[in-house]
């Protein structure tokens, strides 16, 4: 058994975690100050041709297949890193599905069904109708960002991973697939469940053995 504490994990991801906490507090203030409708339409009216092109691709970073791809890449480098990423994705994914099926929240296209003419939709995007809370894409993005920040040699990448995760979260609102509270809750669930899981799993002695430090590609 190793002696990895949650404070050790948070220190390693500090360039992700500290800015995230500041942004999270700001998001909570926004949520308290404005209504769901006010926040939604404030975001929806900020559409551009560039945004309509970029955000459908950016949102794909929160898809499960992206984590699978990253895990396969990690397998080539380190079994330990691949296991941390794959299991964190699985745990956070299970949690988000449980919460989704508890709330059964309608998505914007159903919630605003009488006001659809006032909403900007991106062409070619299939609109989801149910299980809006919380955002699964956001959970996946933040979970992956935590793990990547934790295992990266250069810890400054943590801030870049945070920006990418925020980009995925914003894309879910831009594409009218989720509400502000959906992505905020998704970021909380993805971040904190992964921090706790990584703390527990990386305490196991086998995770730090020479065998698990290796990957499929042998280092010279």
């Amino acid at each position: 058994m190793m002696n990895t504490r949650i404070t050790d994990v948070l220190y390693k991801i500090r360039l992700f975690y500290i800015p995230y906490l500041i942004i999270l507090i700001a998001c909570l203030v926004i949520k308290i100050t404005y209504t769901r409708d006010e926040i939604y339409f404030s975001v929806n009216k900020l559409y551009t041709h560039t945004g309509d092109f970029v955000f459908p691709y950016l949102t794909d970073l929160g898809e499960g297949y992206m984590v699978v791809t990253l895990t396969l890449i990690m397998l080539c480098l380190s079994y330990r890193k691949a296991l941390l990423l794959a299991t964190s994705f699985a745990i956070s994914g299970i949690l988000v599905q449980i919460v989704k099926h508890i709330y059964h929240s309608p998505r914007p296209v159903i919630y605003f069904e009488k006001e659809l003419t006032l909403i900007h939709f991106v062409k070619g995007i299939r609109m989801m109708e149910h299980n809006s809370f919380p955002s699964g894409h956001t959970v996946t993005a933040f979970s992956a960002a935590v793990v990547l920040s934790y295992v990266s040699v250069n810890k400054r990448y943590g801030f870049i991973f945070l920006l990418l995760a925020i980009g995925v979260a914003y894309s879910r609102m831009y594409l009218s697939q989720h509400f502000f509270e959906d992505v905020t809750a998704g970021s909380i669930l993805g971040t904190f469940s992964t921090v706790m899981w990584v703390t527990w799993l990386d305490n196991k002695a086998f995770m730090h053995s020479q065998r698990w430090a290796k990957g499929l590609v042998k280092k010279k």
Side-chain angles (χ1 to χ4, degrees):
M1 181 77 72
M2 303 300 291
N3 191 30
T4 301
R5 298 169 298 179
I6 193 169
T7 51
D8 299 322
V9 174
L10 293 177
Y11 180 76
K12 288 185 177 181
I13 66 169
R14 60 192 180 280
L15 293 183
F16 165 93
Y17 187 67
I18 294 175
Y20 169 66
L21 284 183
I22 295 171
I23 294 169
L24 177 59
I25 292 171
C27 288
L28 294 177
V29 170
I30 291 172
K31 181 56 188 173
I32 293 172
T33 306
Y34 300 98
T35 66
R36 166 186 281 191
D37 293 26
E38 288 173 335
I39 297 172
Y40 174 83
F41 282 106
S42 293
V43 172
N44 187 256
K45 71 180 182 181
L46 297 177
Y47 64 88
T48 64
H49 292 300
T50 301
D52 287 3
F53 175 78
V54 171
F55 284 117
Y57 292 101
L58 185 58
T59 205
D60 283 346
L61 293 179
E63 291 281 0
Y65 69 80
M66 290 300 297
V67 178
V68 173
T69 302
L70 281 173
T71 301
L72 293 175
I73 294 173
M74 288 293 187
L75 273 174
C76 296
L77 305 173
S78 165
Y79 297 129
R80 168 179 165 266
K81 294 178 181 180
L83 184 62
L84 285 171
L85 185 62
T87 54
S88 294
F89 170 62
I91 293 296
S92 62
I94 291 171
L95 290 175
V96 74
Q97 289 305 317
I98 291 173
V99 179
K100 277 180 177 292
H101 287 84
I102 289 174
Y103 284 94
H104 288 293
S105 300
R107 299 207 185 213
V109 72
I110 296 297
Y111 184 84
F112 293 115
E113 60 182 350
K114 296 181 180 180
E115 303 171 80
L116 295 182
T117 56
L118 304 176
I119 297 174
H120 171 74
F121 292 104
V122 178
K123 293 181 180 179
I125 299 297
R126 183 171 70 89
M127 303 308 299
M128 306 297 288
E129 298 182 346
H130 306 291
N131 294 333
S132 187
F133 182 88
S135 165
H137 282 70
T138 304
V139 170
T140 298
F142 275 84
S143 178
V146 168
V147 176
L148 293 174
S149 300
Y150 181 69
V151 302
S152 292
V153 175
N154 189 339
K155 298 306 178 185
R156 283 178 288 187
Y157 288 153
F159 185 68
I160 296 175
F161 296 137
L162 172 62
L163 293 179
L164 289 173
I166 291 173
V168 172
Y170 185 80
S171 75
R172 303 309 289 163
M173 295 188 293
Y174 186 95
L175 298 175
S176 290
Q177 298 284 25
H178 285 285
F179 295 103
F180 183 76
E181 58 265 32
D182 299 340
V183 299
T184 301
S187 74
I188 294 171
L189 181 59
T191 297
F192 292 103
S193 67
T194 302
V195 166
M196 289 186 287
W197 175 254
V198 166
T199 301
W200 180 83
L201 182 59
D202 215 32
N203 253 313
K204 305 303 178 184
F206 76 89
M207 291 289 285
H208 300 274
S209 65
Q210 289 187 349
R211 179 179 180 182
W212 280 81
K214 299 177 181 178
L216 294 175
V217 178
K218 295 182 179 180
K219 299 177 182 179
K220 295 182 180 180

